Amino acid sequence: MGIKAALPKYEIYFYNTVLCLALFWSTSWIFEVSSSSVNRKTFKSSIKPGWYYFGRRMDTADLEWLMWFSTFRDHILFALSGHVLFAKICSMLAPQVPLLIEFEGFFSVQTEPCTHWRLVFKKWLFPLPQYRSLVYMVYGVLAVWTSMGWTYVTLILSHCILLYSISLVKIRWLCFVTGLCTLATFKCEPFVSWQSGFVEGDFELRHVLFYGGCGFTIMRCMSFALENCERKDGNYNILELLKYNFYLPFFYFGPIMTFDKFCVQVNKSDLSRKEREMWNINLQAMIHLAVVIVVNTLFHFMYILTIPTDMKLLKHLSDWALVGLAYFNLVYDWVKAAVMFGVINTVARLDHLDPPKPPKCITMLYVFAETHFDRGINDWLCKYVYNYLGGKHENVVGELVATLCTFGITILWLGPCQVVLIWAFFNCFGLNFELWTAKFFSMEPFTTFEVAMSEAMSRRIRSIFNTFNFWAIVLYNVLAINSLDFAKLVAKRLLLKGFPITTIIVMFVTYCLIQVIKEQERRQALIDDPDPLPPAPSPNAATSPAPASAAPQLAADPSKEKAE
């Protein structure tokens, strides 16, 4: 089946209608449970007084969301705004002699000198690339020093120097082992306690900044070391590593941009912007602000984060409310990641960088190969581990080795514990099971059956299998986002207690969702790769009849295979 396989319009309208009604019905159940359970004792710690205008309490169970957009909102905005202003001021004071010499040949009193003066002044507004990256590094070091103390900066520098020294040997496996061992020191005692003692002060955000800055520093240093191993001539300067690591917008919270991309983008000489680029940056910033307001508003009416923590209440909920809670928790986690990374990416785009895109919406996922909530980590793992070991991902054994190594590093990154191990096992199994299934159905007689059927019917059959895959992704990730008990309860209610009525209805609604996703993918594929237009008929085509044998040759082509 091709991605451009179309279905009748009335069928797509039917799928959209069913999906909207199901979402509305599930939302009404969650709203009813939230309103009736607001005074439960188990809710007191997370349901706090909300905005005065609504007259309702607000769900505050997610401390990370509160940190970004309530508790430490001013501190984060102050640091990011200072980065932009500091870079802008230094850009106007940076040395301009080389650019002035480059354009002084244009000066002429007889040929519109004012135009050329404006051209030179426009170039003055941007610093030279080497000074621009240096300015970012200086501000990053000062900001980290101010927030965490000089001993923390010393700790970060020691890790940078260690991994830089190992990278000079240019042995790939040695860089990996050193980086992973260094990362493990932040996940186990007594190394964690010893290194956390380097942080000065006792403020609430201390632990978050400590683990964020150290963890991302190790991943960035590993990227630098691996790229240095791939370099044929010489080695990168340690100053390039410090510029890369101390870029403040990415330092504490990510996302990770691999060193090769960062080095090219931060040192590019052409700093002119595309048409309407600033308009798009401002628009994205306004969208992020609107999403924050909408999410905080919904937290007054739907306690989707607090309800899953009360197992006694969950056992009395309807099947629709329970399934809706699982789905909305995943959607919220994607929205949170998209907004937090979006704020940082907006600052990075002002610095003429092209940061990793936000994660793909969970609503658009029905294959394990595209499941991720941090595109920066995902790109890092794919570049240095998954694609490096898996190649074209056609060999079963090679794919198994690649996925085991990838999720092994992911476990170390997230911190080994029971929930992370179970989550990694099921996602690793799901990724390999997709390849096994694809290999199985690529054999005869399945390929003959699919070639014989229409593309629309092939799309419908594939969507049935994708439906079960979608709920496997939901359950495996709810396990990590909420708790093991909540995931077990949802699975039991969906597959055992709710069978067959709830199971069939939920799977049918999910099937409608998969068809809506495939329709959007089809339209995007037509935009990205439009079908070629047929050649224009010749002027004498109407008068000269076509050969009689041409029609059946064009109408029937049984040897043509459908491409996935």
Side-chain angles (χ1 to χ4, degrees):
M1 181 205 76
I3 194 174
K4 299 179 182 179
L7 295 179
K9 288 187 176 180
Y10 66 84
E11 187 174 346
I12 300 298
Y13 292 150
F14 172 75
Y15 293 146
N16 279 283
T17 303
V18 171
L19 185 60
C20 292
L21 291 176
L23 288 175
F24 176 78
W25 182 249
S26 180
T27 302
S28 65
W29 276 98
I30 297 175
F31 172 74
E32 182 180 349
V33 173
S34 301
S35 300
S36 60
S37 307
V38 66
N39 293 319
R40 291 179 66 90
K41 292 182 179 180
T42 54
F43 283 17
K44 287 184 178 181
S45 60
S46 55
I47 303 299
K48 303 293 183 180
W51 295 345
Y52 172 78
Y53 304 100
F54 293 114
R56 294 177 60 93
R57 296 184 182 181
M58 179 180 178
D59 192 345
T60 61
D62 191 349
L63 299 180
E64 189 176 14
W65 180 270
L66 287 180
M67 177 191 73
W68 266 85
F69 304 110
S70 179
T71 311
F72 296 99
R73 174 188 57 202
D74 298 336
H75 299 78
I76 295 174
L77 289 178
F78 177 78
L80 294 178
S81 301
H83 168 86
V84 176
L85 294 176
F86 186 81
K88 186 64 178 178
I89 293 173
C90 291
S91 69
M92 301 178 68
L93 301 177
Q96 308 296 334
V97 177
L99 289 179
L100 183 59
I101 294 175
E102 180 181 353
F103 286 93
E104 67 179 356
F106 286 98
F107 293 119
S108 172
V109 178
Q110 300 176 355
T111 57
E112 300 178 1
C114 294
T115 302
H116 302 303
W117 274 105
R118 284 198 296 270
L119 177 63
V120 174
F121 182 72
K122 181 179 180 181
K123 293 293 181 182
W124 280 8
L125 293 179
F126 302 101
L128 297 177
Q130 60 267 32
Y131 293 107
R132 182 166 66 104
S133 57
L134 193 61
V135 166
Y136 298 154
M137 184 198 72
V138 170
Y139 181 81
V141 172
L142 292 176
V144 175
W145 191 332
T146 304
S147 58
M148 302 292 284
W150 69 271
T151 53
Y152 180 77
V153 176
T154 305
L155 175 66
I156 295 296
L157 289 175
S158 65
H159 287 296
C160 292
I161 294 173
L162 172 63
L163 287 168
Y164 176 77
S165 302
I166 298 298
S167 70
L168 298 179
V169 184
K170 291 198 171 185
I171 301 177
R172 188 181 181 90
W173 67 266
L174 184 60
C175 295
F176 254 114
V177 171
T178 306
L180 295 178
C181 290
T182 308
L183 184 62
T185 61
F186 294 100
K187 306 297 180 180
C188 57
E189 294 290 350
F191 304 103
V192 177
S193 300
W194 177 71
Q195 294 183 97
S196 61
F198 285 88
V199 182
E200 297 177 352
D202 187 17
F203 54 98
E204 190 176 352
L205 202 59
R206 171 175 173 263
H207 294 289
V208 176
L209 298 183
F210 171 78
Y211 287 108
C214 292
F216 282 112
T217 291
I218 301 303
M219 301 298 282
R220 283 188 289 263
C221 289
M222 288 179 65
S223 176
F224 174 87
L226 294 172
E227 293 297 334
N228 194 62
C229 292
E230 298 295 329
R231 187 173 184 177
K232 303 298 182 182
D233 302 327
N235 299 286
Y236 287 106
N237 194 322
I238 190 173
L239 186 61
E240 297 295 329
L241 173 59
L242 298 180
K243 293 177 183 177
Y244 172 50
N245 185 61
F246 282 100
Y247 180 68
L248 184 65
F250 295 164
F251 184 81
Y252 285 120
F253 305 109
I256 291 179
M257 180 187 291
T258 56
F259 175 75
D260 56 332
K261 295 180 180 179
F262 182 85
C263 185
V264 170
Q265 295 178 22
V266 82
N267 291 315
K268 65 181 180 180
S269 57
D270 183 15
L271 299 179
S272 59
R273 297 193 182 275
K274 298 178 182 179
E275 185 180 359
R276 297 179 63 85
E277 183 177 354
M278 282 303 301
W279 166 260
N280 292 331
I281 293 175
N282 294 328
L283 179 61
Q284 289 298 318
M286 296 304 296
I287 290 175
H288 295 146
L289 178 61
V291 170
V292 171
I293 296 175
V294 170
V295 171
N296 283 326
T297 301
L298 291 177
F299 278 161
H300 288 78
F301 300 93
M302 299 172 62
Y303 304 150
I304 60 174
L305 304 179
T306 300
I307 294 176
T309 62
D310 190 343
M311 294 303 299
K312 292 184 179 179
L313 176 62
L314 290 174
K315 293 178 180 179
H316 295 88
L317 295 185
S318 67
D319 295 343
W320 279 102
L322 204 59
V323 170
L325 277 174
Y327 177 75
F328 283 126
N329 268 268
L330 280 181
V331 173
Y332 163 73
D333 200 70
W334 167 78
V335 170
K336 180 177 69 173
V339 173
M340 289 192 301
F341 288 139
V343 173
I344 296 174
N345 290 349
T346 300
V347 178
R349 289 190 180 95
L350 292 174
D351 295 333
H352 300 272
L353 298 181
D354 185 18
K357 297 179 181 178
K360 191 173 182 179
C361 180
I362 186 63
T363 307
M364 304 294 291
L365 295 177
Y366 54 87
V367 291
F368 280 91
E370 297 181 359
T371 305
H372 58 269
F373 289 91
D374 185 340
R375 197 181 290 267
I377 292 291
N378 182 75
D379 293 345
W380 193 100
L381 291 171
C382 288
K383 178 179 177 61
Y384 299 119
V385 185
Y386 185 61
N387 292 335
Y388 185 83
L389 297 176
K392 296 182 180 179
H393 305 288
E394 296 176 351
N395 183 270
V396 175
V397 178
E399 180 74 2
L400 181 61
V401 172
T403 51
L404 287 175
C405 294
T406 301
F407 281 101
I409 296 176
T410 306
I411 290 172
L412 185 60
W413 165 253
L414 296 175
C417 63
Q418 181 186 13
V419 172
V420 172
L421 290 173
I422 297 175
W423 169 85
F425 170 79
F426 281 117
N427 278 274
C428 183
F429 171 77
L431 198 57
N432 283 276
F433 187 74
E434 284 181 351
L435 178 62
W436 303 339
T437 306
K439 289 284 186 181
F440 178 74
F441 284 102
S442 64
M443 298 186 298
E444 293 293 342
F446 302 107
T447 54
T448 304
F449 292 158
E450 186 171 16
V451 171
M453 69 178 63
S454 64
E455 288 194 343
M457 183 56 65
S458 175
R459 169 175 163 175
R460 296 186 185 100
I461 294 176
R462 286 177 176 267
S463 297
I464 295 175
F465 290 96
N466 295 143
T467 298
F468 297 98
N469 213 35
F470 178 88
W471 271 104
I473 294 173
V474 170
L475 292 176
Y476 296 166
N477 288 280
V478 161
L479 168 71
I481 294 174
N482 294 105
S483 65
L484 178 60
D485 294 333
F486 179 62
K488 289 166 59 177
L489 182 62
V490 174
K492 186 182 297 184
R493 189 76 69 86
L494 180 62
L495 302 177
L496 298 179
K497 289 187 177 181
F499 186 84
I501 298 177
T502 300
T503 306
I504 294 175
I505 293 176
V506 171
M507 291 304 171
F508 175 70
V509 173
T510 308
Y511 171 82
C512 297
L513 172 62
I514 300 298
Q515 290 291 8
V516 172
I517 297 172
K518 287 181 178 289
E519 183 64 19
Q520 293 183 2
E521 292 177 346
R522 185 188 73 86
R523 294 179 180 178
Q524 187 62 41
L526 291 175
I527 296 175
D528 298 336
D529 183 23
D531 293 331
L533 297 175
S538 57
N540 55 356
T543 58
S544 59
S549 60
Q553 290 179 357
L554 294 175
D557 190 4
S559 63
K560 183 177 179 180
E561 295 183 356
K562 303 182 182 70
E564 175 60 16

